[in-house]
Amino acid sequence: MHVVFQQKAKEILEQGFASDDSIDHNIKYLKSDYSLGPVEFPFSKETFEKRNDWWKNISGEEDDLSVVKNNEDDFGLINDIKIILENNPEEQLWIWIAPNKEDVSGYYFLLSQFSEHLGQVYVVWLNNLPFINEKGNIFYPRYISEIPSREFIKAKKLFRLITPGEMEVDLDEWDKLCRENKSVRILKDHKKIIQDDEDYFDRNLLNLVTPERQKVSKVIQQFNHKSLDNIPEEYLVWRIKIMIENGSIDSQGDIYNKKEWEVKKESEGENITE
């Protein structure tokens, strides 16, 4: 079994494995972004419900919230994998990790779920690994979906079994993150995750808000273009609303329609501090 952390990663991995009969094509992906929201150790159904409540607070929606369904789907997927590993001692779980906050946070989370299956859990770390793009140039991908499908035959050779020592160290790291239990997790170096408060991205967002009115959709587009971090749109919209409430940003139009919703910077917003 193979686990990745984005749907696009699942799709590109399936393409890469399609012509390789030596590897199983059972590929799953965790739908929730574990670099955002509350975490606790050990993880339980109650923790998933806390994450649901956190996302509901951000979105302002009580029903039909995709991230809530994602949490529920993850809970079921993890239980299904546990049953397979328990009933099939020869089965292997491969975790594919690219150098981004979602993958590394997801790795720590997954490890905490399968600590009892030492000897069955493998990792494929893709950090600092050069690949060749469609133009024949060498590049270093931050996301699995950036890698050409033909390159995965090479990438799969990196798989290795997680050692008892590595399991212990990484579980301690996740336990520390859970005890701190802040809402934003950022990748700093290889496997090093730091945590910060919910306003971590506010300064960068505010810097994109001009004294002249502009569409909120444009602000979000510019943020995602400049940022190395893949932040869900609903989270950025929520932070803009918070800055409107505290007087840093002036709002005009329907906040539920980003095509009509416009914002501009208030003068006092210039003095926002980290």
Side-chain angles (χ1 to χ4, degrees):
M1 295 177 290
H2 305 266
V3 176
V4 293
F5 302 97
Q6 295 92 26
Q7 182 174 6
K8 289 183 178 179
K10 177 180 183 292
E11 293 170 356
I12 197 71
L13 211 60
E14 288 175 337
Q15 294 174 23
F17 290 169
S19 60
D20 185 2
D21 295 332
S22 69
I23 196 164
D24 193 350
H25 300 166
N26 184 8
I27 304 169
K28 306 294 185 182
Y29 78 100
L30 286 190
K31 296 181 178 180
S32 188
D33 180 357
Y34 295 94
S35 69
L36 290 172
V39 292
E40 294 180 5
F41 185 65
F43 228 62
S44 64
K45 190 171 181 61
E46 289 72 25
T47 310
F48 277 98
E49 291 172 354
K50 288 181 181 179
R51 288 179 58 81
N52 286 348
D53 291 340
W54 186 81
W55 278 110
K56 285 179 181 179
N57 177 61
I58 285 174
S59 70
E61 299 287 343
E62 290 298 323
D63 301 309
D64 195 27
L65 184 60
S66 61
V67 289
V68 172
K69 185 177 186 304
N70 290 347
N71 284 329
E72 294 171 350
D73 288 349
D74 285 358
F75 187 79
L77 174 62
I78 288 166
N79 284 334
D80 290 345
I81 294 176
K82 285 182 177 179
I83 292 173
I84 292 172
L85 293 177
E86 289 169 0
N87 294 335
N88 302 275
E90 74 286 353
E91 184 65 81
Q92 299 175 1
L93 173 65
W94 289 26
I95 307 174
W96 291 73
I97 313 143
N100 61 74
K101 63 182 182 60
E102 300 104 296
D103 284 18
V104 178
S105 296
Y107 157 76
Y108 281 120
F109 163 70
L110 267 187
L111 210 60
S112 73
Q113 301 304 296
F114 298 106
S115 58
E116 296 180 356
H117 297 280
L118 188 64
Q120 292 176 279
V121 182
Y122 292 72
V123 288
V124 184
W125 285 97
L126 300 177
N127 59 300
N128 297 323
L129 182 68
F131 287 90
I132 299 176
N133 62 21
E134 298 296 342
K135 296 182 179 180
N137 299 322
I138 293 176
F139 77 109
Y140 294 85
R142 295 190 69 249
Y143 287 88
I144 288 175
S145 57
E146 298 171 358
I147 303 173
S149 59
R150 66 178 185 277
E151 292 282 276
F152 283 101
I153 303 300
K154 175 179 71 175
K156 76 168 189 176
K157 297 177 182 179
L158 296 173
F159 89 100
R160 61 175 179 79
L161 183 67
I162 293 181
T163 66
E166 185 178 13
M167 177 76 79
E168 181 178 0
V169 169
D170 288 351
L171 286 177
D172 285 345
E173 183 67 18
W174 182 247
D175 181 51
K176 183 182 74 173
L177 294 173
C178 290
R179 282 186 277 108
E180 292 176 359
N181 198 18
K182 294 190 175 183
S183 297
V184 175
R185 282 164 284 283
I186 300 296
L187 179 64
K188 283 301 181 182
D189 181 33
H190 181 34
K191 294 168 66 173
K192 181 64 177 177
I193 293 286
I194 65 166
Q195 294 192 119
D196 214 304
D197 296 320
E198 294 172 337
D199 62 356
Y200 179 81
F201 302 106
D202 285 10
R203 172 175 286 277
N204 289 340
L205 264 177
L206 187 62
N207 286 339
L208 296 172
V209 179
T210 64
E212 294 76 35
R213 295 196 184 278
Q214 59 180 325
K215 304 291 186 183
V216 168
S217 56
K218 181 179 180 180
V219 175
I220 292 174
Q221 183 181 35
Q222 289 177 325
F223 180 93
N224 287 328
H225 179 72
K226 292 176 179 291
S227 177
L228 292 177
D229 297 303
N230 181 26
I231 310 301
E233 181 176 300
E234 57 264 46
Y235 187 89
L236 297 177
V237 168
W238 174 61
R239 294 313 307 170
I240 290 174
K241 290 178 181 177
I242 293 295
M243 286 188 281
I244 290 171
E245 291 176 4
N246 67 29
S248 301
I249 295 176
D250 178 71
S251 173
Q252 176 177 286
D254 184 359
I255 64 173
Y256 298 103
N257 185 346
K258 289 188 290 298
K259 293 182 178 179
E260 299 179 2
W261 183 19
E262 296 181 335
V263 292
K264 71 180 183 68
K265 185 178 294 183
E266 291 282 23
S267 58
E268 60 267 32
E270 303 284 355
N271 298 321
I272 191 171
T273 57
E274 292 181 326

